[in-house]
Amino acid sequence: MRIDKFLKLSRIIKRRTEAKNACENQCVKINGRTAKAGDSVKVFDKIEVRFKNRILEIEVKEVPAGNIPASFASSLYHIIKEEKISVEE
């Protein structure tokens, strides 16, 4: 499954276009490498997403075949680390 779609289905990022933009702006890494929106995600991959005020690092537990209910979204991954960062203006 594409990383932009996984981020949307797992509800880490709300919209697929936002996930694609995050990849284009080099805010997403898969296993330490900068991800492109079309890169594939597999079970046990480590994904790092840099948001405006935090960094989220997760490990993929499951890759769904299609759409899933929102109540199951958090079961797709395990949070390794969540770190707040200061926003410089």
Side-chain angles (χ1 to χ4, degrees):
M1 173 176 289
R2 292 170 53 111
I3 182 69
D4 58 345
K5 186 170 184 179
F6 178 83
L7 292 172
K8 191 260 185 215
L9 289 178
S10 63
R11 308 318 196 265
I12 292 171
I13 297 180
K14 292 185 181 194
R15 292 178 183 84
R16 191 165 173 182
T17 54
E18 290 176 15
K20 183 179 180 221
N21 289 338
C23 291
E24 288 173 356
N25 292 319
Q26 300 180 344
C27 297
V28 180
K29 293 182 180 181
I30 301 174
N31 298 323
R33 295 179 56 210
T34 303
K36 295 179 184 173
D39 287 349
S40 294
V41 175
K42 336 181 259 320
V43 175
F44 301 121
D45 278 350
K46 290 184 177 35
I47 300 172
E48 180 183 299
V49 183
R50 180 177 287 271
F51 295 96
K52 188 175 185 178
N53 60 351
R54 69 186 172 114
I55 298 173
L56 178 65
E57 189 176 335
I58 63 165
E59 181 178 59
V60 178
K61 288 172 41 179
E62 184 179 342
V63 178
N67 290 334
I68 60 165
S71 58
F72 293 110
S74 64
S75 69
L76 299 178
Y77 61 91
H78 167 73
I79 296 175
I80 298 171
K81 180 172 70 171
E82 189 168 10
E83 178 182 334
K84 292 188 187 277
I85 54 175
S86 61
V87 180
E88 296 179 18
E89 295 182 36

